[in-house]
Amino acid sequence: DQQVKQNSPSLSVQEGRISILNCDYTNSMFDYFLWYKKYPAEGPTFLISISSIKDKNEDGRFTVFLNKSAKHLSLHIVPSQPGDSAVYFCAATFGNEKLTFGTGTRLTIIP
Amino acid sequence: GAVVSQHPSWVICKSGTSVKIECRSLDFQATTMFWYRQFPKQSLMLMATSNEGSKATYEQGVEKDKFLINHASLTLSTLTVTSAHPEDSSFYICSARGAGYVGAFFGQGTRLTVV
């Protein structure tokens, strides 16, 4: 039972344009969501998070949007840079529970 | 952000031997540590959750006698792969969570190759 889904395994975006990565979840108990970036052979790096009491959180080039009614969140990266090429995982949790990860989306930024 | 250090970053061992991987939170107290395994081109698979001073909780399908987890202090957790076999070759990642924080910070990962 995949409670957190990233339906796009890969995404290619031109440098300078906007990258939009999507994530859907099924467990309505989730109240905190995170995005991680992962390079090959390295551990994930925390990017940005959002609490369910908000619908948007912004940090520099990264913005996360949360649509609770649709159980959907998205990560926007603008402008996209070559260093953004990586695998992006969304994760969700509630209370003190473990993080539940999506399957990841490989983002490739085309110079 | 908080720093989690994982050691070693890579290790090669002979089949039948045991390997210990360390995970340390360097600038915060980790009340909970998580151990993950990642197969090539797949998502992170949670193996177990450990709280300081108590036994680890293993996910379904993970052999607790094969993957020994110790979380003896608030800054250190270890994963020991016992009697390693080539199918245990994988990328192992730890993460640590401090009190009052719902997210987690990850170590750099350990690539284990069993020959």
Side-chain angles (χ1 to χ4, degrees):
Chain A
D1 175 29
Q2 191 70 32
Q3 296 188 63
V4 179
K5 300 178 184 179
Q6 293 175 257
N7 293 316
S8 298
S10 63
L11 175 68
S12 294
V13 174
Q14 204 77 32
E15 181 179 358
R17 306 294 289 269
I18 182 171
S19 295
I20 300 176
L21 298 110
N22 294 303
C23 180
D24 297 291
Y25 62 96
T26 57
N27 190 340
S28 57
M29 297 276 293
F30 289 142
D31 61 6
Y32 197 80
F33 305 88
L34 309 94
W35 283 94
Y36 288 88
K37 174 181 180 180
K38 186 182 180 302
Y39 293 115
E42 292 185 16
T45 304
F46 170 74
L47 269 180
I48 192 169
S49 62
I50 188 166
S51 163
S52 61
I53 63 173
K54 301 175 74 173
D55 54 19
K56 176 182 175 181
N57 189 26
E58 191 172 354
D59 184 3
R61 296 187 298 115
F62 303 93
T63 303
V64 56
F65 295 92
L66 175 62
N67 182 332
K68 289 186 289 294
S69 60
K71 294 192 176 67
H72 176 85
L73 65 154
S74 61
L75 173 68
H76 292 211
I77 306 173
V78 58
S80 299
Q81 300 174 353
D84 296 331
S85 295
V87 177
Y88 289 78
F89 291 96
C90 67
T93 187
F94 65 94
N96 200 32
E97 289 296 305
K98 62 191 179 186
L99 292 174
T100 300
F101 282 89
T103 49
T105 296
R106 180 176 301 278
L107 175 65
T108 302
I109 304 302
I110 305 166
Chain B
V3 179
V4 176
S5 177
Q6 189 173 338
H7 178 80
S9 56
W10 62 270
V11 57
I12 301 173
C13 71
K14 289 186 177 181
S15 186
T17 60
S18 295
V19 173
K20 180 184 283 188
I21 302 169
E22 290 188 351
C23 181
R24 294 180 184 273
S25 57
L26 298 185
D27 52 359
F28 68 101
Q29 292 186 324
T31 51
T32 306
M33 286 195 174
F34 306 89
W35 287 94
Y36 295 85
R37 183 173 178 176
Q38 185 180 29
F39 294 98
K41 299 183 180 179
Q42 292 189 30
S43 185
L44 300 168
M45 184 193 80
L46 180 65
M47 298 174 66
T49 302
S50 71
N51 294 297
E52 186 264 339
S54 52
K55 288 185 178 180
T57 302
Y58 289 81
E59 295 298 301
Q60 192 173 13
V62 178
E63 298 176 63
K64 62 180 180 181
D65 294 329
K66 180 166 187 61
F67 300 100
L68 301 179
I69 292 171
N70 182 282
H71 190 171
S73 78
L74 284 171
T75 59
L76 174 65
S77 176
T78 60
L79 166 67
T80 302
V81 182
T82 63
S83 187
H85 290 284
E87 57 264 31
D88 298 325
S89 299
S90 191
F91 192 61
Y92 294 87
I93 307 170
C94 72
S95 73
R97 170 188 280 171
Y101 180 62
V102 295
F105 296 96
F106 287 81
Q108 308 95 313
T110 298
R111 179 161 299 285
L112 170 64
T113 302
V114 184
V115 297

